[in-house]
Amino acid sequence: MKIIIAEKPSVAKSIAAIVGANNKKDGYMEGNGYAVTWAFGHLFGLAMPEHYGIAGFQKENLPILLTKFKLLPRQVKEGKEYKNDPGVIKQLKVIRELFSRGEGIIVATDAGREGELIFRYIYEYTGCTLPFERLWISSLTDRAIKDGFKTLRPGADYDNLYASAKARSQADWLVGINSSQALSISAGYGVWSLGRVQTPTLAIICSRYQENKDFKPKTYFRLKLHTDKESITFAVHSVDKFDARTYAEEVIAKVKAAGTVQVTAVERKEVKQEPPLLYDLTTLQKEANSKYGFSADKTLTIAQALYEGKKISYPRTGSRYISEDVLEKAPHLIATLRSHPLFGKYIDGRFDTTLNPRSVDDKKVTDHHALIITEDPASGLSKDEQLIYDMVAGRMLEAFGDRSIKENTTVSIDAGGVHFSCKGSVTLVSGWRAVFDAKDEPNDEDDTAVLPVLVEGDSLPVCDCEIQEKQTKPRPLHTEASLLGSMESAGKEVEDEQQREAIKECGIGTPATRASIIETLFSRDYIVREKKSLVPTNKGLVVYLAVKDKMIADAAMTGQWEEALNKIASGTMDAPTFHKGIEVYASQITTELLSTVIERTDNRNTCPCPKCKNGQVVFYPKVVKCKNENCGLTVFRSIAKKELTDGQLTGLIMNGKTSLIKGFVSSKTGSTFEAAVRFDEDYKTVFEFPPHKDGGKKRRFK
């Protein structure tokens, strides 16, 4: 009997239906010479120092460098202790028993680095010696699964991928354990979490935050002149910017005195814009965040559901290209979209059999090709699933579409010796932009105008001229979209699409892990969301200020480690060499962090905790929080757009309720209101409104 092991029960069910394993058992399905079982994602982690007899958070024990790592079944927290997950233990027993009576294994975990690690850790932990083959597919459609079973590959072909995955797992352990314990010892209070990838990511967020907050805006003035030709009015901006309003007023007087402007130059240029490349996961996450405000984790979850629902190809891909053989299937996939309400008209009106080959390159396809749809109809999707599906489908049409051709016009104008300019753009061929009727984003400083036909020497009237007061702006705070871009390029500012593709192997994290890294920063209370922006908490800033100049926060160095892991996977670097380098690195960062001074919060305002009774509530700039990690009492200063003062918060903590506070803003109506803030029975903050004038009861809302 052949044992097939999938990564999740849902995937196992799809595979079982194809191979005829229709008899449902406890933890597996059986039939037709197969038993199909499953994991629940990662069933194992690397054991903590105490499992090796090493006492944690002892300076003399650092750095902790192991000769051999132990696997530990996934843990769950019960009270203050961690114990083996009973569901995992039960499923491992099923898998072990199946392995004992099987003749061989077909590995059907997700076809990627982490999927390989999931199986290999199970294989190692159970002491299995059965031969195994690999099912490597890029979608879960019936056809893809059937084709995959016809081309099973020897398990040994993926030994390098396993070596890379194992090296990543051990490197994260070595760096995370040693750096976290070293900083915690140095701080002398609390437990501080650092990591090989999470700390450089935090540094990217915090450095932008500090740069933004420290930015000193400068006021400048610019002239905006309105003129017209043939009843078409348009605006032009002064080429020069002025530091003083008085000087701008002198210049505007000169312009108005001139009465007319002369067109001194007209430059027209035809611009051909190639279609964008297909999506990889990171690009999909970036654009879903920009368009819909989806977090990276939410986009990945939706894409994974679409993949398991057989609607799109494997989402955790880092490639934006497809191979020639996949291109052959593209016309059929495009044809399935003819009935789609967004794309049917475009396909019928513009699409022929010629596909733009820009996204086709066998050499640039990594473990998986770029994201594309499958032949299965996209029916029964939720609203959010439909949005992500439409992004993938629409990008596929764009990528295979024709060039977009525009004519850009730059006009130079003189008014009494003052130089002005404007730009105009006319689309000659919509090409790929017609898929979503895409428009260029306007530029705040120099909006593209609708221009009449202008020629050099034209004399036009001055209809109006005004002074615009503006301020220089800092670079915006990071959103998840911009953060993902920075992670992909290891903190480098890279706008060009092809340049980003060239350096992405040196990025920090992988397409499959970046979402979880960002979520880790949220769970550690290092960052919060303010609308779309990512803002560090006081705790996050304390960590950043302590480590910003240390190797642990160096995004470029982390990118080099990621590149090394890719080389292990490709067989051009051996894992032991990488491991030795990580050990040296872990030792160096441990030494650095043990000598680090971290800001103490003990001198902040504190109050006894009303919830747990034995902790202290500490006042931070954005939040007050109990220092007892098992308590969880947290109150944000900003409630309904009102910042609570230390005095108001002290009243809430000490008395369970504030006095009446004015200036809260309703999220529904935008109107202001007054209320007291109090704790409910779960120590969550709720509003308590004053009595109605007619003596009615107080209203309470969360």
Side-chain angles (χ1 to χ4, degrees), residues 310-604:
K310 308 182 181 184
K311 310 302 183 188
I312 65 171
S313 61
Y314 185 67
R316 298 169 188 261
T317 177
S319 177
R320 300 187 67 185
Y321 294 87
I322 60 171
S323 54
E324 290 283 354
D325 62 322
V326 176
L327 178 64
E328 294 173 4
K329 304 173 185 176
H332 170 65
L333 297 177
I334 290 167
T336 66
L337 295 172
R338 285 189 182 277
S339 60
H340 194 292
L342 282 179
F343 309 126
K345 184 178 178 181
Y346 170 80
I347 295 170
D348 290 338
R350 300 173 183 269
F351 225 95
D352 56 25
T353 55
T354 304
L355 302 182
N356 192 313
R358 184 167 185 251
S359 292
V360 183
D361 191 333
D362 289 54
K363 295 178 181 178
K364 293 181 180 178
V365 175
T366 52
D367 292 342
H368 294 277
H369 58 65
L371 271 163
I372 58 174
I373 64 170
T374 69
E375 65 269 22
D376 281 25
S379 57
L381 301 181
S382 69
K383 180 182 177 182
D384 288 346
E385 287 174 340
Q386 191 69 55
L387 289 174
I388 296 299
Y389 178 86
D390 290 351
M391 286 183 68
V392 175
R395 175 51 57 89
M396 194 174 75
L397 294 177
E398 289 177 329
F400 294 138
D402 297 326
R403 290 173 175 169
S404 169
I405 303 176
K406 297 187 295 182
E407 182 182 75
N408 292 340
T409 303
T410 302
V411 180
S412 298
I413 288 176
D414 182 277
V418 182
H419 300 295
F420 292 81
S421 70
C422 66
K423 295 179 180 179
S425 182
V426 177
T427 298
L428 304 178
V429 178
S430 295
W432 64 269
R433 285 182 167 272
V435 175
F436 287 109
D437 193 23
K439 302 290 193 303
D440 285 323
E441 293 292 327
N443 184 312
D444 290 339
E445 284 295 302
D446 198 6
D447 292 347
T448 301
V450 176
L451 300 176
V453 176
L454 298 168
V455 295
E456 188 175 333
D458 276 348
S459 180
L460 308 174
V462 174
C463 299
D464 187 25
C465 193
E466 59 185 297
I467 298 174
Q468 292 183 310
E469 181 175 330
K470 294 179 175 289
Q471 285 191 324
T472 56
K473 296 179 180 179
R475 290 193 297 172
L477 298 174
H478 271 301
T479 63
E480 287 201 41
S482 64
L483 177 62
L484 286 165
S486 289
M487 293 174 75
E488 190 174 40
S489 58
K492 298 182 179 70
E493 297 294 325
V494 181
E495 296 297 329
D496 182 76
E497 187 175 49
Q498 290 185 324
Q499 288 182 16
R500 286 201 307 270
E501 285 296 301
I503 67 168
K504 67 194 305 181
E505 282 196 0
C506 301
I508 61 176
T510 66
T513 61
R514 287 177 188 134
S516 65
I517 292 161
I518 296 170
E519 290 303 312
T520 295
L521 294 177
F522 284 115
S523 68
R524 302 286 189 226
D525 192 29
Y526 286 168
I527 61 172
V528 293
R529 289 187 183 92
E530 290 187 359
K531 296 182 179 179
K532 282 190 176 183
S533 298
L534 301 178
V535 177
T537 62
N538 181 70
K539 183 178 180 182
L541 282 172
V542 167
V543 172
Y544 167 68
L545 293 173
V547 304
K548 66 176 183 177
D549 299 321
K550 308 294 188 293
M551 286 188 291
I552 186 71
D554 189 338
M557 181 173 288
T558 304
Q560 292 168 11
W561 290 127
E562 206 66 59
E563 184 181 24
L565 290 169
N566 289 328
K567 288 180 178 179
I568 295 172
S570 66
T572 56
M573 183 176 181
D574 65 276
T577 299
F578 173 83
H579 188 81
K580 288 177 183 176
I582 284 288
E583 285 189 331
V584 172
Y585 174 66
S587 299
Q588 290 172 332
I589 61 173
T590 300
T591 301
E592 274 193 332
L593 293 169
L594 285 173
S595 61
T596 296
V597 176
I598 188 167
E599 176 192 333
R600 294 186 65 88
T601 58
D602 300 61
N603 58 348
R604 297 184 183 277

Side-chain angles (χ1 to χ4, degrees), residues 662-699:
K662 296 182 179 181
F664 293 114
V665 180
S666 169
S667 60
K668 292 183 178 180
T669 66
S671 59
T672 59
F673 63 92
E674 61 181 29
V677 177
R678 67 169 179 83
F679 287 130
D680 65 10
E681 60 275 9
D682 297 318
Y683 286 91
K684 303 295 184 184
T685 53
V686 297
F687 288 128
E688 182 172 303
F689 293 90
H692 286 297
K693 292 181 180 179
D694 60 6
K697 291 183 178 180
K698 297 178 181 180
R699 297 168 292 158

